[in-house]
Amino acid sequence: MVIPADKTTIAKYIPDELDRRIIAHLRADGRASLSKLSEALGVARGTVQNRLDRLVETGTLLGFTVRVRDDHEAQIRAVMMIEVTGRSTTQLTRRLRGIPEIHSLHTTNGNWDIVANIRAESLSDFDRVLREVRMIDGVSKSETSLLLTSI
């Protein structure tokens, strides 16, 4: 769920310590009730409600999401760093987005141009994704690391 906010409101509002604590609790449990948040933060339920309303209103909170246990998602997870040659980034990005196992893409600085988060059901699917990415015009080099354990 994305909630549009007025750009002038966003520029004026700076979250304080209580807002940051509310956001931290919501990152851990996006479905936490107002009562649970107020108890954890040591403030009145109405205070939490007012703060949440303001965080949503100003666009600081864009929405709430669900987190899924790792064992309910794809078994193979990896990070692939990609070097792009020439000015083919737009077409290359479009092709990468078309690969279902690529969960997210990020531009970056340093030696690599793009970082792709990959999630695959099996090693054979993972291998296919690696081959597919490396065959895209504009990919000059890549390096992939499997993610073993989340800590």
Side-chain angles (χ1 to χ4, degrees):
M1 172 173 102
V2 176
I3 302 162
D6 179 352
K7 290 181 183 179
T8 58
T9 308
I10 293 171
K12 293 177 187 176
Y13 184 71
I14 299 172
D16 65 9
E17 180 61 28
L18 179 56
D19 293 331
R20 287 190 290 276
R21 289 175 51 213
I22 290 171
I23 292 168
H25 278 277
L26 289 173
R27 280 191 175 126
D29 181 4
R31 292 184 43 153
S33 68
L34 291 174
S35 299
K36 184 176 178 181
L37 287 170
S38 69
E39 183 180 318
L41 297 166
V43 297
R45 187 179 179 280
T47 301
V48 174
Q49 179 66 64
N50 290 337
R51 292 299 185 108
L52 281 174
D53 289 345
R54 183 170 41 189
L55 289 168
V56 169
E57 210 174 275
T58 61
T60 303
L61 284 180
L62 297 176
F64 301 85
T65 187
V66 79
R67 293 181 344 179
V68 179
R69 276 190 350 229
D70 286 342
D71 61 346
H72 285 335
E73 292 184 342
Q75 299 298 312
I76 310 298
R77 296 177 303 138
V79 175
M80 179 183 233
M81 283 72 69
I82 303 167
E83 183 178 272
V84 178
T85 57
R87 298 181 181 190
S88 57
T89 307
T90 304
Q91 291 112 340
L92 188 137
T93 302
R94 197 173 302 125
R95 292 275 313 272
L96 290 171
R97 283 189 180 133
I99 301 172
E101 291 83 1
I102 294 184
H103 187 259
S104 62
L105 291 170
H106 311 274
T107 58
T108 186
N109 65 334
N111 295 331
W112 304 103
D113 299 304
I114 296 175
V115 175
N117 288 313
I118 301 170
R119 293 183 183 173
E121 291 295 326
S122 66
L123 284 173
S124 60
D125 286 340
F126 176 68
D127 186 45
R128 176 186 47 76
V129 171
L130 294 183
R131 282 193 319 272
E132 204 173 319
V133 170
R134 291 175 180 151
M135 292 177 65
I136 296 173
D137 285 336
V139 172
S140 62
K141 186 166 73 171
S142 69
E143 181 179 319
T144 305
S145 296
L146 288 171
L147 301 177
L148 302 175
T149 303
S150 295
I151 53 174

